[in-house]
Amino acid sequence: MTEAPFVLDEQLARFELDAARARTSAEVQKLRVDWLGKGHGVVTAFLGLLREVPKDEKGAYGAGVNKLKARVEARLKELEGAAAAEAARAAESARAVDVTLPPRVPAVGRLHPLTVVRRRIEASFRSLGYEVADGPEVESDWYNFESLNFPPDHPARDAVDTFFVKGGGTGRDRLLLRTHTSPVQMRTMLSRKPPIRILCPGRVFRKDDIDPRHLPVFNQIEGLAVDEGITFADLRGTLAAFARTFFGDRAKVRFGPTFFPFVEPGVDVAVSCVLCEQKGCRVCSGSGWIEIMGAGMVHPKVLENGGIDPERYTGFAFGMGVDRIALLLHGLPDLRLLLENDLRFLDRVWSS
Ligand code: PHE
């Protein structure tokens, strides 16, 4: 007997070792190329050597190579089947739902603090019979100043304070960004008859330098009531009722004299500090009181400009800063926080 079959047995043993390590399709594919590949496959090479084998040994050698080839082919088929089944299992489990994954909680939107404060103020006056009215942000000098009894040389009309948009002088042709919501009083009086009870929330604009307490754009809410027999006592009662529904049952209001051209008398309205219950704190500067709005009895001239007979009707008006009230409620140090929409801040305001 020649050596050939022995060498082939050795090759078969080597193949079995390789085969035992091949798991994945790629590994099995490599095994097939290594052993049966056209150029350099081990079995192919041994088959090629058949030519060189002496005649009398060809029979045994050929049988040995064929046995090796058959064994390699059969085993590769097995391995390919197993690798394909494994790949299918892996694909199946990749598709499966993993119920142990931590949940992905969607971010839930919330109303901006300013919107919440505005809506609460609106709700508290709606419960007193007020309707919400609207007016333009670009106003004429007539609505913003002249009709509201601002004399032509009033400092508020100065370009230092007011953003002028178009035209010069005064009157209806001169356009500006409204400096307060009071022009909506005039628009309302001219468009309907008493009794009037309206609330007008809106943005207003003033050329203020930006600092923690001032912004060139901020939010006011204006109120106007006109009817027969309205007195200063109604104004006080209304604002006291508002303070209680908005700031809580223990809230008190205090009125101090001040001047606005469109009311007579005019008052500053302060509410007792809700943060320290009047013990004195940083927010109320130790005084126990916080000024939240201007108010007063509508000036007869303003009623007249609005087409309402001041002999028959009287009324009161008030205006408050929404941003300022939001600062108070949340104890915030800086108005700018309300405009920057930094989610870290907004989240904190809501969890406080
Ligand atoms: N318009 C005034 C302001 O902007 C506020 C105000 C409104 C005062 C109504 C009295 C009556 O300061």
Side-chain angles (χ1 to χ4, degrees), residues 148 150 179-183 185 204 206 218 220-223 258-260 262-263 266-267 293-297 316-320:
L148 295 173
F150 280 80
T179 58
H180 51 177
T181 41
S182 302
Q185 291 184 27
V204 300
R206 288 181 201 175
F218 54 101
Q220 280 192 338
I221 290 191
E222 188 86 7
T258 192
F259 175 77
F260 298 100
F262 40 96
V263 287
V267 286
M293 65 175 114
M297 300 306 290
F316 62 77
F318 54 87
M320 63 187 107

Side-chain angles (χ1 to χ4, degrees), residues 41-88:
V42 177
V43 175
T44 322
F46 276 105
L47 274 173
L49 285 175
L50 189 60
R51 269 180 285 125
E52 328 258 320
V53 176
K55 231 189 187 140
D56 57 336
E57 290 169 17
K58 268 197 205 302
Y61 181 85
V65 179
N66 278 334
K67 186 180 137 206
L68 174 65
K69 191 178 173 203
R71 178 69 196 136
V72 167
E73 268 173 351
R75 189 84 174 90
L76 277 171
K77 233 191 193 128
E78 246 174 66
L79 289 172
E80 278 161 2
E86 178 55 37

Side-chain angles (χ1 to χ4, degrees), residues 172-331:
R172 289 175 197 264
D173 291 335
R174 179 169 224 197
L175 297 183
L176 44 80
L177 298 183
R178 67 180 176 192
T179 58
H180 51 177
T181 41
S182 302
V184 186
Q185 291 184 27
M186 190 50 59
R187 289 184 174 275
T188 306
M189 288 191 275
L190 287 170
S191 67
R192 60 163 101 174
K193 304 239 148 337
I196 293 170
R197 273 181 188 72
I198 55 125
L199 202 63
C200 166
R203 290 197 298 178
V204 300
F205 308 83
R206 288 181 201 175
K207 276 191 183 169
D208 273 328
D209 286 335
I210 296 176
D211 71 25
R213 307 231 132 222
H214 296 91
L215 289 171
V217 50
F218 54 101
N219 298 275
Q220 280 192 338
I221 290 191
E222 188 86 7
L224 173 71
V226 180
D227 203 350
E228 280 177 57
I230 287 189
T231 68
F232 192 79
D234 296 309
L235 169 61
R236 288 186 57 190
T238 301
L239 296 183
F242 161 70
R244 278 196 305 274
T245 48
F246 192 83
F247 293 103
D249 279 346
R250 285 208 291 275
K252 288 177 282 185
V253 278
R254 186 184 75 177
F255 294 79
T258 192
F259 175 77
F260 298 100
F262 40 96
V263 287
E264 180 56 37
V267 286
D268 265 333
V269 183
V271 59
S272 52
C273 183
V274 281
L275 297 174
C276 66
E277 300 257 341
Q278 294 198 292
K279 285 195 229 8
C281 68
R282 190 179 50 86
V283 174
C284 61
S285 314
S287 72
W289 294 95
I290 299 165
E291 273 179 19
I292 56 162
M293 65 175 114
M297 300 306 290
V298 182
H299 197 290
K301 258 198 190 158
V302 173
L303 288 174
E304 224 172 87
N305 290 340
I308 289 171
D309 178 5
E311 297 297 329
R312 181 170 167 201
Y313 293 104
T314 48
F316 62 77
F318 54 87
M320 63 187 107
V322 183
D323 313 65
R324 191 132 193 240
I325 292 176
L327 283 202
L328 287 179
L329 281 185
H330 295 293

Side-chain angles (χ1 to χ4, degrees), residues 4-34:
F6 172 70
V7 169
L8 291 171
D9 280 348
E10 219 174 42
Q11 292 303 325
L12 189 57
R14 233 188 80 206
F15 170 76
E16 294 295 355
L17 275 179
D18 281 2
R21 279 195 292 266
R23 285 266 176 289
T24 65
S25 298
E27 287 162 353
V28 175
Q29 180 62 26
K30 182 168 184 306
L31 193 66
R32 177 176 281 285
V33 172
D34 286 349

